[in-house]
Amino acid sequence: MQSYILIIGACGQIGTELTYALRAKYGPERVIASDIREGNEDLMESGPFEILDATDYDALEEVVAYYEISEVYLMAAMLSATAEKFPERAWDLNMNSLFNVLNLGKEKKIEKIFWPSSIAVFGPNTPKERTPQSTVMEPSTVYGISKQSGERWCDYYHHKYGVDVRSVRYPGLISWKTMPGGGTTDYAVEIYHRALSQRAYNCFLGENTKLPMMFMNDAIRATMELMDSDAEKIKVRSSYNLAAMDFTPSEIAESIRTHLPDFTISYEPDFRQAIADSWPNSIDDSRARQDWGWRAAFDLERTTGEMLGHLSPRTNEHTE
Ligand code: AKB
């Protein structure tokens, strides 16, 4: 039997690239992209697209039945910085969309679920360096609380109802196709755009704020490798630690200067500094390596080369 895939939040930073990658692998017709609003035309025209509010169980169930969906990737969420401004809306979106998808799994209407967690599940009392898979968490942000609760629910639905739900804790994600929105790690994308357009960037985090980060190609590959793994290999049903690189704003600026020597950075930390300070500096992902063979491929140098290489023709298009 052919399986059909539904991506919820397909127009977002991860959803966009995941949609293209899954369509390239399985064929456009087998991957249904959905979002609460329309996204870029290229994405919407590359295969089936539905407007869908994932907090509406009936609407979700209808799309799942209509397309005979067997696999759901739930990429819709309110990220850390925006969630601090709208705590109840963040809780409503992040938790109810997850419950809806988990309940479809419980009722055997779908077979497999991917749900992203985040390094935001960790908090100020967590060991900061090479943060272990299992450790003190105590998140201090609304987003982190929703992700930690989500992890506990995924684990519960797996053990109690046999739902095949899989998850990774994404670090900050760096990509050039779609901008991130409302996160604390967003500076690591904005900086490349400004470096090309203005040769200068005013960073909303302090110069020595080290955070775990990952290039989008690695994040998409991790997601697809986890979903392709045999179920017996997936021993962690809350969420796996995932790592690739970690750096500070001053280190990413230095890496940009190897390509654009006149680039300058200034620092003006805002409310996002406290969020970043509560998160780990680096992550120990040995459990993901051991269980399903995870290995990152992109370090900071390679990421900078990719970002500037892909964005500079676009910047020229805009400025010419
Ligand atoms: C954010 O900054 O909120 C996200 C995340 C680390 O989950 N990028």
Side-chain angles (χ1 to χ4, degrees):
M1 199 187 92
Q2 286 231 320
S3 72
Y4 285 82
I5 294 172
L6 174 66
I7 303 177
I8 299 170
C11 298
Q13 188 199 13
I14 315 174
T16 302
E17 301 214 21
L18 189 61
T19 303
Y20 288 129
L22 290 171
R23 283 186 171 160
K25 183 169 176 186
Y26 296 107
E29 293 309 314
R30 285 177 59 195
V31 179
I32 320 308
S34 76
D35 208 298
I36 194 149
R37 60 185 70 88
E38 294 190 344
N40 84 57
E41 266 176 39
D42 182 66
L43 177 100
M44 293 192 303
E45 284 165 10
S46 66
F49 181 84
E50 292 283 338
I51 295 288
L52 178 64
D53 174 0
T55 64
D56 179 344
Y57 184 81
D58 295 338
L60 178 61
E61 195 184 27
E62 204 179 303
V63 170
V64 164
Y66 180 78
Y67 288 100
E68 298 178 359
I69 300 292
S70 61
E71 230 171 83
V72 173
Y73 292 72
L74 172 53
M75 313 310 288
M78 194 183 287
L79 298 187
S80 57
T82 311
E84 289 305 296
K85 295 183 181 154
F86 308 105
E88 287 178 28
R89 266 169 53 193
W91 182 258
D92 178 44
L93 170 62
N94 295 1
M95 298 314 297
N96 289 331
S97 59
L98 176 60
F99 273 126
N100 286 346
V101 174
L102 287 175
N103 283 330
L104 286 173
K106 180 183 165 190
E107 288 156 22
K108 308 287 175 229
K109 293 186 170 151
I110 53 176
E111 286 163 21
K112 224 194 242 185
I113 298 166
F114 177 81
W115 173 78
S117 186
S118 158
I119 54 161
V121 292
F122 300 116
N125 299 325
T126 301
K128 276 206 169 300
E129 300 297 339
R130 288 188 55 75
T131 300
Q133 174 69 40
S134 302
T135 185
V136 175
M137 297 174 96
E138 300 176 8
S140 57
T141 64
V142 172
Y143 174 65
I145 295 169
S146 75
K147 288 294 180 188
Q148 194 200 14
S149 310
E151 286 193 7
R152 299 319 324 144
W153 282 113
C154 288
D155 194 62
Y156 184 86
Y157 269 67
H158 175 73
H159 289 104
K160 187 94 178 170
Y161 307 122
V163 174
D164 188 357
V165 53
R166 304 170 183 208
S167 175
V168 292
R169 292 170 180 153
Y170 288 130
L173 297 181
I174 304 175
S175 64
W176 54 269
K177 281 191 188 145
T178 308
M179 290 296 279
T184 302
T185 57
D186 295 9
Y187 92 85
V189 177
E190 281 171 18
I191 194 170
Y192 290 108
H193 287 263
R194 296 288 161 70
L196 287 166
S197 62
Q198 293 166 21
R199 294 291 190 274
Y201 180 61
N202 187 25
C203 187
F204 58 74
L205 296 182
E207 64 177 310
N208 297 319
T209 310
K210 184 170 272 205
L211 288 170
M213 299 278 184
M214 179 176 279
F215 188 54
M216 187 60 85
N217 294 30
D218 270 342
I220 298 297
R221 186 168 53 80
T223 306
M224 290 170 65
E225 284 177 6
L226 176 69
M227 289 299 272
D228 283 346
S229 295
D230 293 340
E232 314 81 71
K233 286 192 178 166
I234 314 300
K235 308 272 189 242
V236 175
R237 292 296 184 153
S238 50
S239 191
Y240 278 99
N241 272 8
L242 208 59
M245 56 185 148
D246 39 81
F247 55 76
T248 63
S250 89
E251 286 164 345
I252 190 173
E254 202 44 55
S255 143
I256 290 172
R257 269 195 289 271
T258 62
H259 299 257
L260 305 169
D262 54 344
F263 172 66
T264 60
I265 185 166
S266 51
Y267 303 95
E268 205 174 324
D270 65 14
F271 73 101
R272 289 168 281 195
Q273 184 66 48
I275 302 177
D277 287 343
S278 76
W279 290 351
N281 293 346
S282 61
I283 297 287
D284 174 2
D285 65 355
S286 48
R287 198 61 209 269
R289 289 164 173 265
Q290 184 188 306
D291 287 1
W292 45 280
W294 164 246
R295 298 279 181 284
F298 287 81
D299 59 10
L300 177 56
E301 203 187 337
R302 200 168 163 208
T303 300
T304 297
E306 289 284 321
M307 289 297 286
L308 296 178
H310 286 287
L311 289 175
S312 43
R314 290 184 168 195
T315 311
N316 292 339
E317 269 166 33
H318 293 149
T319 51
E320 271 164 15

